[in-house]
Amino acid sequence: MNITHLKQIGSAFGYIAINPLSLIIKKGSVIMPFPQERIYTIDDIYNLPEGTRAELVDGQIYYMEPPTRTHQKISGFLHATIYNNIRSNNAKCEVYAAPFAVSLNRDDMNYFEPDISVICAPDKLDNRGCNGAPDWIVKIVSTSTSSHDYITKLSKYKTAGVREYWIVNPLRQIITMYLFNEKDIFPQTYDFKDKIGVSIFNDLVIDFCELDI
């Protein structure tokens, strides 16, 4: 198997787990060396070159592509809507938009940067981010990262204790909602014409029609 073949496999799943110490960057593309046996930690994430965004899953680094304008528009809309609701109700929760560090299992081998994180337990927060599971996570997917978000992260978030997980797909204009505090985790699906009630907040309804995308 040559390097070209390895790149094709990696790009098919969007995220590429590679050794950051042997990265070769050429005109915006990442050339992946043959896989190397090494377990990375959160310290390796913080030691990456400035501006490099990546996540850590079970000791493997996955690099993240820059967000699109549509992605940022959705993120800004959601953050503003949630923030205003929390502020008007004097809730103890806090909301953060990416980049925001989540050390999901309070260990040093799993590090995520959800697009939106809502944390209602102040003791989980420090100056670096969130230590433990946020109550609500929203991920805005791209075509290249969808398998990672629908499979790997879904399992990780449920196991860690996230209560609510939304996956927003701008291309298909679909929102998939998972409520992990219920026995069954069959997803509920909405589109960008719907008004969606937030499970962890009794009084928050998000109207995606306001996005105008």
Side-chain angles (χ1 to χ4, degrees):
M1 182 181 294
N2 58 32
I3 289 178
T4 299
H5 190 200
L6 287 169
K7 286 175 62 184
Q8 291 171 345
I9 294 173
S11 62
F13 289 93
Y15 282 70
I16 304 175
I18 59 180
N19 182 343
L21 302 180
S22 57
L23 257 182
I24 304 172
I25 300 177
K26 184 177 181 181
K27 294 184 179 180
S29 63
V30 177
I31 298 177
M32 185 177 67
F34 285 98
Q36 309 212 0
E37 292 295 329
R38 178 178 169 181
I39 299 299
Y40 297 96
T41 68
I42 290 177
D43 286 339
D44 292 305
I45 293 287
Y46 283 104
N47 286 327
L48 291 173
E50 185 176 355
T52 302
R53 291 191 61 200
E55 295 185 318
L56 187 70
V57 183
D58 294 332
Q60 294 300 302
I61 292 178
Y62 294 81
Y63 288 84
M64 303 169 69
E65 62 184 17
T68 64
R69 184 187 67 83
T70 299
H71 177 289
Q72 294 299 81
K73 185 174 182 178
I74 296 171
S75 175
F77 164 74
L78 290 173
H79 182 272
T81 303
I82 299 165
Y83 175 83
N84 290 335
N85 179 269
I86 290 173
R87 186 175 182 182
S88 64
N89 288 284
N90 295 314
K92 64 178 181 178
C93 303
E94 296 191 31
V95 57
Y96 297 93
F100 177 75
V102 173
S103 177
L104 193 62
N105 299 319
R106 296 180 183 265
D107 61 24
D108 64 350
M109 291 195 301
N110 288 278
Y111 167 101
F112 295 87
E113 289 190 1
D115 292 307
I116 299 291
S117 301
V118 177
I119 300 99
C120 298
D123 62 314
K124 291 183 178 180
L125 296 170
D126 61 22
N127 201 41
R128 274 195 164 185
C130 177
N131 295 294
D135 293 86
W136 178 22
I137 285 176
V138 179
K139 174 61 184 178
I140 304 162
V141 300
S142 65
T143 303
S144 63
T145 66
S146 58
S147 63
H148 195 69
D149 299 313
Y150 283 97
I151 300 172
T152 306
K153 290 183 181 179
L154 176 66
S155 174
K156 284 288 184 185
Y157 292 161
K158 179 180 183 297
T159 302
V162 173
R163 294 163 59 193
E164 188 164 354
Y165 178 39
W166 289 21
I167 303 175
V168 180
N169 188 321
L171 184 62
R172 299 179 61 196
Q173 297 198 350
I174 288 175
I175 303 98
T176 306
M177 175 198 290
Y178 293 90
L179 304 178
F180 294 138
N181 57 345
E182 298 183 357
K183 290 184 178 180
D184 297 322
I185 62 165
F186 295 109
Q188 302 175 40
T189 303
Y190 304 89
D191 62 31
F192 279 22
K193 297 178 182 178
D194 289 325
K195 296 180 180 180
I196 307 174
V198 178
S199 176
I200 70 167
F201 296 132
N202 293 328
D203 59 347
L204 177 55
V205 175
I206 296 181
D207 185 358
F208 274 81
C209 288
E210 295 178 7
L211 265 173
D212 190 28
I213 291 180

